[in-house]
Amino acid sequence: MARYRVIAVEEHWASRRHIEAAAGLPVWPGDALEMELMRGAFGSSWMVDRLSDLDAHLADMDGSGTDLSVLSLNPPGVQPYDSAEAGPLAERANDEMAEIVRRWPTRFAGLGAVDPQNPKHAAAETERVMGELGLSGLMICSHTQGRYLDEPAFEPLLAAAEAHNAPIYLHPRMPSEQMIGPFKAYGMVAAVWGYQADAGTHAVRLILSGTLDRHPKLTFVLGHLGEGLPFWMQRLDNRYAFAYRAGAETLGMGKLELTPSEYLRRNFTVTTSGMDDQRALAFCLERLGEDNVMFAIDYPYEDSSAATEFLRTADLTDSQRAKISHANAERVFGIASSDA
Ligand code: MN
């Protein structure tokens, strides 16, 4: 079997400097539970080493057969912090990430962090990320202090991402304060169910709000094979049309240029992060097309070798395997092809 270049696109990182700088900062009250959990993880030197030590990350990549990792600041980025702190934190982290990419250009690429709580600064930082820093896009960890990117305040950020061709990896996190109630039992608030519920809801908001009519060239990347949306495509179209006829005004619905599933195919790509599931992958390939699925591990939260083993052994055509392994990531994130 041919050996394809392997690019993994949801691989987390945080410098020791960043972890220390962020450790004592007050967080938005709605994010308290999530930040208690994340900061608890930093009590483990194993986790801090895995996130901050690039030699350890490279050794993990060598062990799993991962050629290049697209790094992103450990979730939920700088989004829980006050505006005054979040902007400088993002800038420093992006400077450090750019340095890593310059040092290991064939092993690492990076997605910049931004502070959506200050949309104008986030827009300016997007320009810097895609320009002088030479990074490959943005990671935004779903809601920012309970607010979603379709809301008018975020227009400058979305306009900048579109203008500078910055794909936005919409990474999951715990549900916002408005929806978290029923998730608080049985650990559902975490990645077992709550992350997907919030990120999937965020993506549906972007679709149904008309945001993608205003910004038709935006690309969003969803982890976990699309956070459930590929399974809902027919029903999103069917029930959007029904609800619109039944009570568009009552339900606060606008007229869209496309059907919901057409936006999903046009403006979204999905990754395999944490979803080593042959049947789910085959289903997504059929519904979204083979140009819209990319490989991801979710280092250091998932087992890298299990993920690459899944990629190597999944029942795929040569064309599908090449696109999922590297070609789609090269296109979406502007990563130089290894045979260029
Ligand atoms: Mn992740």
Side-chain angles (χ1 to χ4, degrees):
M1 192 186 293
R3 193 335 192 151
Y4 298 102
R5 183 191 201 191
V6 174
I7 299 179
V9 302
E10 190 197 309
E11 315 314 317
H12 301 303
W13 157 85
S15 67
R16 282 175 191 279
R17 186 209 54 77
H18 174 84
I19 292 169
E20 280 162 24
L25 294 179
V27 303
W28 184 67
D31 292 341
L33 179 63
E34 181 173 19
M35 292 309 292
E36 186 186 335
L37 203 70
M38 297 310 283
R39 284 172 168 172
F42 293 150
S44 137
S45 63
W46 182 84
M47 184 59 81
V48 172
D49 287 348
R50 298 255 292 170
L51 281 169
S52 64
D53 181 344
L54 278 308
D55 290 322
H57 196 159
L58 285 164
D60 183 90
M61 289 162 61
D62 291 341
S64 68
T66 303
D67 297 294
L68 186 144
S69 288
V70 182
L71 299 176
S72 45
L73 187 61
N74 193 50
V78 303
Q79 290 164 243
Y81 308 116
D82 281 350
S83 240
E85 315 279 4
L89 267 184
E91 288 176 26
R92 283 294 299 277
N94 293 338
D95 288 342
E96 289 175 330
M97 185 183 277
E99 222 167 276
I100 293 165
V101 174
R102 276 193 293 271
R103 182 167 167 199
W104 290 285
T106 63
R107 305 307 305 278
F108 292 120
L111 304 179
V114 289
D115 51 341
Q117 57 271 59
N118 186 353
K120 282 192 182 139
H121 179 268
E125 187 63 6
T126 298
E127 182 174 359
R128 204 174 73 93
V129 160
M130 299 307 290
E132 68 181 86
L133 295 187
L135 298 176
S136 300
L138 305 176
M139 175 170 281
I140 297 178
C141 295
S142 196
H143 66 85
T144 301
Q145 305 188 1
R147 300 179 65 192
Y148 293 85
L149 291 171
D150 54 280
E151 296 179 42
F154 298 113
E155 269 302 302
L157 170 55
L158 296 190
E162 188 178 36
H164 299 287
N165 296 314
I168 299 175
Y169 202 122
L170 195 66
H171 190 280
R173 59 179 306 192
M174 280 189 194
S176 63
E177 194 176 45
Q178 303 94 305
M179 71 183 276
I180 201 169
F183 292 86
K184 279 188 168 174
Y186 321 125
M188 288 170 61
V189 75
V192 60
W193 189 248
Y195 280 34
Q196 165 274 129
D198 186 79
T201 298
H202 200 154
V204 173
R205 286 185 66 114
L206 289 166
I207 291 171
L208 296 188
S209 59
T211 300
L212 300 170
D213 289 333
R214 294 197 301 278
H215 301 289
K217 291 187 179 149
L218 274 180
T219 295
F220 286 93
V221 180
L222 297 174
H224 311 126
L225 288 174
E227 309 292 7
L229 267 67
F231 198 80
W232 279 85
M233 286 168 80
Q234 181 273 339
R235 186 163 173 81
L236 284 169
D237 289 351
N238 177 341
R239 291 297 96 180
Y240 167 78
F242 178 84
Y244 190 86
R245 282 196 307 274
E249 208 173 315
T250 310
L251 296 170
M253 300 173 75
K255 185 81 187 144
L256 298 175
E257 291 173 11
L258 306 177
T259 66
S261 70
E262 286 170 335
Y263 296 101
L264 194 60
R265 286 202 191 84
R266 185 187 73 177
N267 295 97
F268 292 83
T269 65
V270 307
T271 80
T272 62
S273 60
M275 295 282 280
D276 300 343
D277 182 331
Q278 169 68 46
R279 287 177 177 170
L281 175 60
F283 181 79
C284 285
L285 283 166
E286 188 209 314
R287 298 313 298 256
L288 302 173
E290 65 185 38
D291 292 328
N292 285 323
V293 183
M294 298 184 278
F295 175 68
I297 297 169
D298 196 18
Y299 179 92
Y301 300 103
E302 296 279 352
D303 183 317
S304 305
S305 293
T308 52
E309 178 65 11
F310 171 69
L311 177 66
R312 271 192 296 272
T313 57
D315 182 19
L316 297 168
T317 67
D318 288 348
S319 163
Q320 288 171 337
R321 199 179 320 274
K323 286 178 174 180
I324 295 170
S325 295
H326 66 93
N328 290 338
E330 290 164 356
R331 184 191 80 244
V332 170
F333 294 118
I335 295 167
S337 165
S338 56
D339 36 64

